[in-house]
Amino acid sequence: MKDAANIYNMPLRSTDVFVGSYQRSGTTWVQELVWLLANDLDYATATNVPLQRRYRFLEMFMMVELDQIDEFIECVYGPDADVKTLKPFLTQTGTPTSGMIAAMPESKPRFIKTHLPMSLLNPKLLDTAKMVYVARDPRDVAVSSFHFAKFFKIMHFPGGFKELWSLFQKGLFILCPIFEHVKDAWALRNQPNMLFLFYEDLSKDLPASIRKVADFLGKSLNQEQMDRLCDHLSIENFKKNKSINNEGLREYGILDSDETFIRKGKAGGWRDYFDEEMTQQAEQWIANNLRDTDLRYPSMTQ
Ligand code: A3P
């Protein structure tokens, strides 16, 4: 609610490019792809300027309550916390971004990342700006969200995967419910300024997805450029890419030493986390939520 009205009424520009998703759906992958294509494969800048600085994260501020920072630091990090480093960082993180986004120069396109559903964004967004939305099998999203909740100690998630799954499928985890989020975007997928992608399609045939995004942005690639881009976007290279992997945040002591932001990057990895009962529960949950829509995930139709 801190900035909802400003976000909903956000003035847009024809040069704005949004990348949207429910969290842990492949946003970072698509962000880098979109940014590189839109910027004529400027690898030098992509390497030197972290992705978080090339995009504004619209609702990042939701992660931190500005008036509870002290209690938060105490609770998450204990009495020995490095308050001097953490406080300015958390204050910056918790500050709404819409003002900063409005102040960005008109001369350059704005790249905006969001995990908000389309229904919380400006309803005229697609009349003016472009949106690339990426969706992923919700079971893989749940597993990835679990690791993310451990990775960012700031989220302070106390349970195991079973607890997260239980909350997730009841729509009680952060940014849930996931199906409504995806269905909001799916309903707009045929609008000229919307490109709807699936993580599983990128996984299966990255060049085909790159071509789709390039067409959408009015760009073209020769074979050599395609090969280099595929290589750059590979999970192995992403893991090593300091501009992408968020390893720089380790200095704030907010990351778990056993987890990484770029993780397995696999479609279908959920199978290692779900027992028989959870698998059946998930199937039922998915079937119930897909009953009123023609949305079909590639992983469920193959
Ligand atoms: P896993 O945790 O399943 O590995 P987001 O960027 O929306 O937070 O999504 C993160 C998920 O995308 C993570 O999934 C991450 O590993 C995966 N991912 C990031 N870059 C990737 C890449 N280049 N190839 C495949 N998967 C990637």
Side-chain angles (χ1 to χ4, degrees):
M1 297 305 291
K2 256 195 290 191
D3 208 35
N6 288 334
I7 289 176
Y8 193 77
N9 295 302
M10 180 178 162
L12 296 157
R13 303 175 188 169
S14 60
T15 47
D16 288 340
V17 184
F18 285 75
V19 173
S21 63
Y22 179 85
Q23 61 166 345
R24 303 308 283 171
S25 299
T27 330
T28 313
W29 204 6
V30 171
Q31 277 179 272
E32 181 73 339
L33 165 56
V34 164
W35 192 91
L36 277 167
L37 286 174
N39 289 282
D40 299 322
L41 304 173
D42 180 0
Y43 289 102
T45 306
T47 306
N48 293 324
V49 182
L51 191 66
Q52 306 116 280
R53 285 196 20 229
R54 284 180 274 137
Y55 279 78
R56 284 282 178 190
F57 185 2
L58 193 55
E59 70 287 352
M60 170 92 150
F61 65 89
M62 285 182 7
M63 313 249 178
V64 178
E65 289 294 348
L66 286 177
D67 56 358
Q68 291 168 21
I69 288 183
D70 291 332
E71 292 129 274
F72 179 79
I73 292 177
E74 169 80 27
C75 162
V76 177
Y77 302 98
D80 300 331
D82 176 6
V83 179
K84 257 206 211 126
T85 315
L86 280 172
K87 206 164 173 178
F89 170 72
L90 291 173
T91 305
Q92 192 195 2
T93 306
T95 303
T97 44
S98 54
M100 299 174 219
I101 291 173
M104 287 169 77
E106 301 262 354
S107 55
K108 285 187 180 165
R110 300 183 298 187
F111 292 87
I112 300 166
K113 161 187 171 175
T114 183
H115 291 317
L116 294 178
M118 295 302 291
S119 54
L120 293 185
L121 302 177
N122 186 322
K124 298 219 163 95
L125 191 144
L126 295 175
D127 293 348
T128 309
K130 285 190 162 50
M131 161 75 73
V132 181
Y133 184 93
V134 59
R136 184 183 192 188
D137 187 314
R139 294 164 293 192
D140 279 331
V141 173
V143 170
S144 189
S145 297
F146 169 67
H147 284 283
F148 189 68
K150 297 283 179 196
F151 171 69
F152 257 113
K153 292 201 269 183
I154 194 171
M155 289 174 75
H156 208 45
F157 187 71
F161 178 65
K162 239 183 172 158
E163 281 79 42
L164 185 136
W165 167 243
S166 167
L167 293 171
F168 192 82
Q169 47 134 357
K170 287 183 198 135
L172 296 174
F173 192 65
I174 298 167
L175 299 161
C176 279
I178 184 169
F179 279 108
E180 279 66 14
H181 198 299
V182 179
K183 283 189 234 175
D184 261 8
W186 180 253
L188 298 165
R189 71 193 178 285
N190 294 324
Q191 298 236 2
N193 277 341
M194 165 68 103
L195 179 66
F196 191 104
L197 301 172
F198 284 106
Y199 179 96
E200 292 74 16
D201 288 338
L202 272 89
S203 254
K204 195 170 164 201
D205 187 348
L206 186 56
S209 292
I210 291 178
R211 259 177 251 116
K212 262 194 209 171
V213 179
D215 285 350
F216 180 67
L217 297 174
K219 303 284 178 175
S220 60
L221 293 159
N222 63 31
Q223 193 56 48
E224 198 183 319
Q225 290 168 325
M226 174 65 90
D227 292 345
R228 180 168 181 198
L229 187 53
C230 284
D231 189 49
H232 178 86
L233 294 171
S234 74
I235 184 86
E236 294 76 25
N237 283 332
F238 256 34
K239 278 185 190 167
K240 291 184 275 189
N241 187 336
K242 289 198 178 87
S243 191
I244 301 283
N245 63 19
N246 279 311
E247 285 296 304
L249 293 176
R250 289 216 184 265
E251 69 176 276
Y252 297 104
I254 57 169
L255 305 184
D256 186 281
S257 52
D258 294 336
E259 299 280 352
T260 51
F261 181 75
I262 305 296
R263 215 180 53 91
K264 291 257 168 9
K266 206 178 140 194
W270 62 268
R271 289 188 177 81
D272 298 335
Y273 290 76
F274 283 62
D275 60 23
E276 193 48 42
E277 189 192 355
M278 290 157 83
T279 303
Q280 283 183 12
Q281 218 176 36
E283 272 171 22
Q284 194 56 56
W285 174 65
I286 291 166
N288 290 345
N289 279 286
L290 294 186
R291 202 159 282 145
D292 63 350
T293 170
D294 58 357
L295 163 69
R296 292 294 175 268
Y297 291 86
S299 53
M300 298 172 202
T301 52
Q302 284 155 7

